Amino acid sequence: MAFFRNLFKESGVRDVITIFHAPASSVSIRAHTILKQAAANAQSTATIDQAGEHGKESKTERTDFDLEVHEGPPTPDQLGSILEYLGPSKAGSVVKDATGASDAMRKFNKDAKVFQSPVIVDWNRGRAVVGDDESEILKLLRTPKDA
């Protein structure tokens, strides 16, 4: 599926990485900072790569993403995708006290305040990370879905 997404992807269109961010949370602030630094580094790497030889770093660094910051919960459809990307065992880390994906959706539809930020989502590659684990966030940014 990723092959077809990339095959038909418009030239110059960048992937979108979204963080569902809670500015009052230190964990969310840390995750947001990691993403901003990665986006800035990717942009400077792209500029350097365009001017010179493509080194080893350019193959592992992702240079084609835009960072979106949402200071509220996702839509129900977005939450459904996030739960699918994470797998059923992680539902409780995204929706407070959820025991699975259907329980998470039920609780979320009743009260969106049960959503727990931060959640970082790579919509194009179908991946998500919960929390501020720097290695997991960077892995989400660098690793192709098919790897």
Side-chain angles (χ1 to χ4, degrees):
M1 177 115 170
F3 169 76
F4 291 108
R5 248 192 318 262
N6 291 334
L7 180 67
F8 296 109
K9 186 175 174 181
E10 293 181 42
S11 178
V13 175
R14 294 156 37 125
D15 291 348
V16 174
I17 303 294
T18 302
I19 179 172
F20 292 96
H21 176 53
S25 162
S26 61
V27 172
S28 193
I29 291 168
R30 178 166 157 64
H32 185 222
T33 300
I34 293 166
L35 286 168
K36 286 191 305 186
Q37 289 172 343
N41 290 342
Q43 190 61 27
S44 67
T45 301
T47 304
I48 292 167
D49 285 350
Q50 291 166 358
E53 195 174 303
H54 292 277
K56 191 177 194 179
E57 294 81 19
S58 66
K59 293 177 183 165
T60 59
E61 293 289 332
R62 183 181 198 174
T63 60
D64 61 343
F65 73 92
D66 288 321
L67 179 60
E68 282 188 354
V69 179
H70 290 277
E71 292 184 3
T75 66
D77 285 342
Q78 288 173 324
L79 178 61
S81 294
I82 291 166
L83 292 169
E84 181 183 322
Y85 301 160
L86 290 171
S89 66
K90 299 267 186 154
S93 64
V94 178
V95 173
K96 188 176 181 173
D97 299 326
T99 58
S102 60
D103 186 43
M105 291 302 294
R106 184 182 55 75
K107 288 179 180 194
F108 180 81
N109 286 329
K110 208 176 209 183
D111 181 6
K113 292 178 185 172
V114 297
F115 181 78
Q116 301 183 110
S117 296
V119 177
I120 299 100
V121 185
D122 179 342
W123 302 108
N124 297 86
R125 294 181 182 180
R127 301 184 67 177
V129 171
V130 179
D132 67 345
D133 183 330
E134 184 170 6
S135 65
E136 287 299 312
I137 293 169
L138 295 177
K139 183 178 172 185
L140 174 129
L141 296 177
R142 292 181 180 145
T143 308
K145 182 178 180 181
D146 299 334

